Amino acid sequence: MEVIDKVGLLSFKNKNILMAKSKGRDKFYLPGGKREAEETDQACLTREIKEELGVELIPQTVKYYGTFEDQAHGKPEGVMIKLICYTGDFTGEARPESEIASLEYLPFSRKPDTGTVAHKIFDDLKSKGLLD
């Protein structure tokens, strides 16, 4: 079984969560991405957030939240995604960079607009009162 190993950022505003949509894609996902060889979670997250959002993570605010796994959206059956999630703050205003077409803070009601693993994350956040 193939597992896609990714790291993602949970960032909130008014009980909505920051989600990104790549150019040419139909679903939103958490900002972040795949680690490079020998890269730690924090190094990967810092690099990906800079590349995708054009902002710098504040290292001391980054905290592990949880790990979520599911079938990878748009991939053949049996290709799984493992998404290790962190909360954290960043400096500046996030804006779409690199392959990102748009950024939006989504409420729970927009869960259908996200990829499969994000559905589990949305449900978890809603159950803990972090999403409206």
Side-chain angles (χ1 to χ4, degrees):
M1 173 175 56
E2 182 183 348
V3 177
I4 301 168
D5 178 33
K6 296 182 94 173
V7 180
L9 178 68
L10 301 173
S11 178
F12 304 96
K13 186 182 285 182
N14 301 321
K15 290 198 169 186
N16 294 330
I17 186 165
L18 181 63
M19 300 294 284
K21 186 185 284 187
S22 291
K23 295 173 181 167
R25 297 294 176 117
D26 63 337
K27 298 289 184 184
F28 284 92
Y29 65 91
L30 285 178
K34 297 177 193 169
R35 83 181 71 245
E36 293 177 354
E38 307 298 317
E39 200 172 39
T40 65
D41 285 1
Q42 182 131 350
C44 175
L45 193 61
T46 299
R47 177 183 53 76
E48 287 284 350
I49 295 307
K50 174 91 171 152
E51 288 174 8
E52 292 185 355
L53 310 182
V55 295
E56 298 283 343
L57 278 178
I58 302 168
Q60 61 272 26
T61 68
V62 177
K63 305 279 185 257
Y64 174 75
Y65 179 83
T67 300
F68 298 84
E69 294 185 41
D70 205 336
Q71 167 68 36
H73 175 73
K75 300 288 184 185
E77 187 67 33
V79 176
M80 303 297 287
I81 183 166
K82 178 176 87 170
L83 185 54
I84 304 166
C85 298
Y86 290 83
T87 58
D89 298 322
F90 48 80
T91 60
E93 192 66 35
R95 62 193 180 281
E97 298 277 340
S98 184
E99 76 273 11
I100 305 304
S102 65
L103 296 173
E104 289 184 44
Y105 282 91
L106 302 182
F108 181 78
S109 64
R110 296 279 306 275
K111 179 174 101 169
D113 297 334
T114 68
T116 51
V117 75
H119 291 187
K120 289 184 173 181
I121 296 166
F122 268 56
D123 290 342
D124 182 78
L125 295 170
K126 177 76 169 173
S127 75
K128 293 176 178 162
L130 297 170
L131 282 186
D132 272 344

